[in-house]
Amino acid sequence: MAQITYTIPGMHCNHCVHTIKMELGELPGIQNIDVNLSSKQVTVNFEAPATTSQIEDLLAAINYPVLKVDRS
């Protein structure tokens, strides 16, 4: 399983958190999503068939583009 952490500056409220978790959770292969609103970070644990490109593209499509990526 892979883990990646994104900094998403557009996250401002619990609605943002809910939207991100709901949308990412629908991608096949997503195992866990941890959102920290105060640090504006989202950590995603995933495996195939999910890819980092799919995750980043989805976040951009729902208007939460990624500013920074930390790969583990």
Side-chain angles (χ1 to χ4, degrees), residues 13-49:
C13 65
N14 285 326
H15 181 265
C16 298
V17 171
H18 174 75
T19 300
I20 289 169
K21 283 185 156 190
M22 184 182 68
E23 294 288 340
L24 286 180
E26 292 181 5
L27 276 179
I30 300 296
Q31 300 297 311
N32 187 55
I33 305 156
D34 182 43
V35 181
N36 185 319
L37 185 56
S38 62
S39 68
K40 298 188 183 294
Q41 291 189 325
V42 176
T43 300
V44 182
N45 295 301
F46 65 99
E47 59 189 18

